[in-house]
Amino acid sequence: MNKRVTIDPVTRIEGHLRVDVEVDGGRVKKAWASGQMWRGVENILIGRDPRDAWAITQRICGVCTTVHAMASVRAVENALQLEIPLNAQYIRNMIMLAHAVHDHIVHFYHLSALDWVDVVSALKADPGKAASVAQGLSNWSGNSKAEFTKVQDRLKNFVGTGRLGIFTNGYWGHPAMRLSPEVNLMATSHYLQALEIQRYASKIVAVLGSKSPHIQNVAVGGVSNPLSLDSQSVLTIERLLAIKEWMLKLEDFVKNVYLVDVGAIGGFYADWTKYGRGITDYLSVPDIPLDTKGTKFALPGGYIEDGKLESYKPITSFNDKFFTDGVSEAIKHSWYDYKGGNNKSLHPYKGETTPNYTDFQDDGKYSWLKSPTFYGKPMQVGPLPRVMAMLAAGHEPTKKYATAALDLVSAVAGTKVGVEALHSTIGRHAARAVGCAVQVDELINQWDLLLANMATGDLKTFNRPTFPKGEQMGVGIHEAPRGVLSHWVVIDSGKIVNYQCVVPTTWNAAPRNEKDQPGAYEACLIDNPVADPEKPLEVLRTVHSFDPCLACAVHVVDDETQSVVTVTAV
Ligand code: NFE
Ligand code: MG
């Protein structure tokens, strides 16, 4: 018999996500992803000065705080065909990369590891044995018996108080939890260490961006960081040297802990390479520009059809029409109306944001997210599509870290696990860690590039924009932590007349589109196992593998829902 499970709200994410699944015979047969809150940021921008848009759109999200600022200034610069100084690119690049590294560490350890790691089981571990398991995997300085004993004692004290705090509603002892107490203790220790390490990434963003979350240093035309080799009041060599130290701490953790943990946990849960495949039409965009125009990039991106690397079609510049012509958004199943009819899909330059809330209708409207498509097809975006594109482009660092991760998965699983396994729930975690290792290397590289350019005597960081009379249109693209982000602006005589954000989580968590095709979450949930509908841990595993951000995705709240099981999951 079909059983309907509603998870509302899904937690350990950003924003308000509801997921409904119909389960039959222990498997998901049908799924709905619904964004439950709308804020109308796109409409707030109409009539404003395009130079202010970044500061407003950045408030779309408190998690990917930098990304909307970057996409917004890029959109306006694209509309004006305004180049930005090399130093500004490097400073922006370091902010984007430090932010991405932060985002991925926090996602794996603090937002999703508890779907795979049983904290309570860590109480039963032998810390000495846990240390030898961990030291067999990596020589990270935090893998000692003393460290693991300390963590276990902390856990015992915590549990002993009877107040589990944020861990209260965890699915501890769930049959789908499969790690040994020792591996659980190792992972729990790294969870706590990751809390310390993530601060270094935030500090890099804060020093370069003047503030974190929500940087203050971008401007249409560059950045507002004056560079000087002798003044104490600007971005000095002293500050840059401090940043470099923090980069090296991040590098150590990402390569010796995060990548290793994902490989090991992936190996123990190798059966999860079979679930969560869903949509394998992958979209990513190139990023980390190396020139003033956005035509050369450190990290490639593009389109891959049906998961086949040989189908890779690169996107090559900020002006690439292959990308800009392909995007449109539908609202047949979303709480909006289009003037020309609700079965249409609109290009973002012609996009409309007119709310029309109807309540949750299984076959009608059920989400505040629109349904983006690329040449008419729903896409998956994010670390997995990004890593696939980089592999297809022959990007050597990506090949190196992907091979290292898959070799470790294979060793732990006791069977050869190849690239094909990445098209899965656990594969999204592996791809995120591989991408993060690539990003941390590139972060250090951008630091070197900035210093080398400053050494030539070039200290320029800003080109002043001028707004001509008449209409200009521009798109700003950014490969954000959760995938392709694009901001689309139409400017008329220096004022914004239309503004549309098409956001990573909008692509992935989209409701069915105008052709009733499901979005990536919905497609990836089909055939997921659900051992106990009252504790739908496996559904959360797949949803969390995307790192949902609903604040971004819908940029009013539903209160009444009728369902067989409603679960508030941690
Ligand atoms: Ni609010 Fe974001 C990223 C953007 S996601 S987290 O990455 O844009 O949809
Ligand atoms: Mg939008």
Side-chain angles (χ1 to χ4, degrees):
M1 198 198 89
N2 274 1
K3 193 164 178 113
R4 173 80 167 235
V5 181
T6 299
I7 308 178
D8 181 17
V10 176
T11 58
R12 278 188 279 120
I13 65 161
E14 217 293 337
H16 303 255
L17 171 67
R18 164 178 166 174
V19 169
D20 287 46
V21 289
E22 269 179 24
V23 181
D24 193 12
R27 293 289 171 128
V28 173
K29 297 293 167 195
K30 230 173 164 183
W32 293 261
S34 168
Q36 292 279 301
M37 177 176 264
W38 182 66
R39 287 145 66 221
V41 172
E42 291 162 336
N43 293 349
I44 291 170
L45 291 165
I46 309 292
R48 291 182 188 264
D49 188 319
R51 290 171 297 183
D52 293 342
W54 68 268
I56 299 168
T57 56
Q58 190 174 204
R59 270 68 191 176
I60 285 174
C61 185
V63 171
C64 58
T65 70
T66 63
V67 308
H68 295 285
M70 297 295 182
S72 182
V73 288
R74 284 179 174 177
V76 180
E77 287 156 5
N78 185 252
L80 302 177
Q81 287 297 302
L82 177 66
E83 292 183 33
I84 74 160
L86 265 186
N87 291 324
Q89 294 288 36
Y90 298 144
I91 290 172
R92 287 184 187 179
N93 288 345
M94 280 191 277
I95 291 175
M96 287 183 282
L97 289 162
H99 171 258
V101 169
H102 179 270
D103 200 279
H104 296 329
I105 292 173
V106 169
H107 173 256
F108 181 68
Y109 287 99
H110 309 121
L111 301 181
S112 60
L114 300 183
D115 296 344
W116 310 91
V117 173
D118 189 330
V119 176
V120 174
S121 141
L123 291 168
K124 298 193 294 253
D126 173 336
K129 273 196 207 152
S132 41
V133 171
Q135 287 162 13
L137 293 167
S138 147
N139 59 7
W140 163 246
S141 58
N143 280 342
S144 65
K145 181 179 172 188
E147 172 75 15
F148 290 174
T149 306
K150 198 173 79 190
V151 169
Q152 197 182 42
D153 288 344
R154 246 176 107 177
L155 266 181
K156 280 180 187 156
N157 287 339
F158 188 56
V159 172
T161 65
R163 293 194 298 268
L164 274 174
I166 57 164
F167 299 135
T168 307
N169 291 326
Y171 295 143
W172 317 127
H174 191 285
M177 290 286 195
R178 196 103 36 80
L179 301 178
S180 67
E182 283 70 30
V183 176
N184 283 317
L185 178 58
M186 174 186 82
T188 305
S189 304
H190 294 167
Y191 174 111
L192 295 170
Q193 291 163 355
L195 279 174
E196 296 296 318
I197 293 292
Q198 52 89 27
R199 290 188 303 143
Y200 294 108
S202 258
K203 282 166 68 158
I204 296 171
V205 174
V207 168
L208 293 173
S210 307
K211 179 172 169 292
S212 180
H214 297 132
I215 52 172
Q216 300 297 307
N217 72 314
V218 288
V220 170
V223 293
S224 61
N225 308 72
L227 292 175
S228 167
L229 300 179
D230 43 27
S231 165
Q232 282 303 304
S233 54
V234 297
L235 195 52
T236 56
I237 296 292
E238 208 180 345
R239 285 196 186 116
L240 286 165
L241 288 171
I243 287 175
K244 179 74 175 276
E245 295 260 315
W246 304 333
M247 289 178 182
L248 297 176
K249 285 187 196 291
L250 291 168
E251 182 193 20
D252 185 19
F253 187 82
V254 168
K255 294 182 184 172
N256 295 317
V257 186
Y258 177 22
L259 194 60
V260 175
D261 281 351
V262 169
I265 291 175
F268 289 121
Y269 284 106
D271 53 328
W272 274 83
T273 59
K274 296 200 298 274
Y275 306 122
R277 186 180 170 93
I279 291 177
T280 50
D281 288 327
Y282 293 143
L283 186 64
S284 61
V285 289
D287 213 322
I288 313 306
L290 300 172
D291 62 358
T292 58
K293 293 184 186 155
T295 58
K296 273 178 63 192
F297 299 91
L299 306 179
Y303 169 62
I304 289 177
E305 185 170 13
D306 196 21
K308 296 190 186 77
L309 293 190
E310 59 280 11
S311 73
Y312 176 58
K313 183 157 184 208
I315 293 165
T316 56
S317 83
F318 282 163
N319 286 316
D320 194 329
K321 285 179 76 60
F322 172 57
F323 178 77
T324 52
D325 289 351
V327 177
S328 68
E329 289 190 297
I331 47 103
K332 181 175 172 190
H333 294 280
S334 318
W335 288 313
Y336 301 97
D337 280 335
Y338 280 168
K339 285 199 288 280
N342 286 348
N343 290 335
K344 285 216 158 59
S345 187
L346 295 181
H347 188 274
Y349 285 141
K350 306 238 182 292
E352 299 171 20
T353 306
T354 309
N356 170 23
Y357 181 70
T358 63
D359 209 344
F360 192 107
Q361 302 170 336
D362 282 5
D363 297 315
K365 289 179 180 290
Y366 62 88
S367 178
W368 283 113
L369 275 66
K370 295 177 183 173
S371 305
T373 52
F374 191 58
Y375 293 98
K377 290 204 285 188
M379 294 285 129
Q380 181 180 154
V381 302
L384 174 57
R386 175 187 315 156
V387 162
M388 286 296 163
M390 293 196 290
L391 288 175
H395 188 251
E396 287 300 330
T398 309
K399 281 203 242 170
K400 180 177 79 181
Y401 294 120
T403 305
L406 288 169
D407 285 352
L408 179 54
V409 173
S410 304
V412 173
T415 173
K416 182 85 191 120
V417 176
V419 171
E420 185 58 21
L422 294 176
H423 307 286
S424 63
T425 291
I426 198 80
R428 269 183 289 278
H429 285 293
R432 191 177 282 106
V434 167
C436 189
V438 170
Q439 286 166 326
V440 85
D441 281 348
E442 195 50 46
L443 175 60
I444 294 166
N445 188 39
Q446 292 295 314
W447 187 94
D448 292 342
L449 288 172
L450 175 68
L451 266 80
N453 195 53
M454 287 170 70
T456 68
D458 175 8
L459 299 178
K460 198 169 174 154
T461 56
F462 178 66
N463 293 333
R464 188 172 297 281
T466 50
F467 290 86
K469 286 224 170 318
E471 189 179 86
Q472 303 92 37
M473 292 189 289
V475 59
I477 59 177
H478 171 35
E479 184 64 24
R482 289 157 194 77
V484 180
L485 170 65
S486 55
H487 282 204
W488 308 72
V489 67
V490 184
I491 301 168
D492 196 340
S493 304
K495 288 270 182 289
I496 294 171
V497 293
N498 200 1
Y499 202 101
Q500 293 288 324
C501 310
V502 186
V503 179
T505 298
T506 323
W507 287 96
N508 283 336
R512 288 153 179 74
N513 65 14
E514 76 281 18
K515 291 176 237 158
D516 300 326
Q517 294 162 309
Y521 289 11
E522 296 177 336
C524 291
L525 280 167
I526 303 302
D527 275 339
N528 253 234
V530 181
D532 177 358
E534 305 282 337
K535 291 181 179 166
L537 175 63
E538 303 92 329
V539 172
L540 290 174
R541 284 181 176 174
T542 290
V543 172
H544 281 153
S545 72
F546 287 93
D547 193 5
C549 177
L550 276 290
C552 275
V554 279
H555 14 264
V556 204
V557 186
D558 171 25
D559 46 12
E560 303 283 320
T561 52
Q562 311 291 329
S563 46
V564 179
V565 187
T566 300
V567 188
T568 301
V570 293

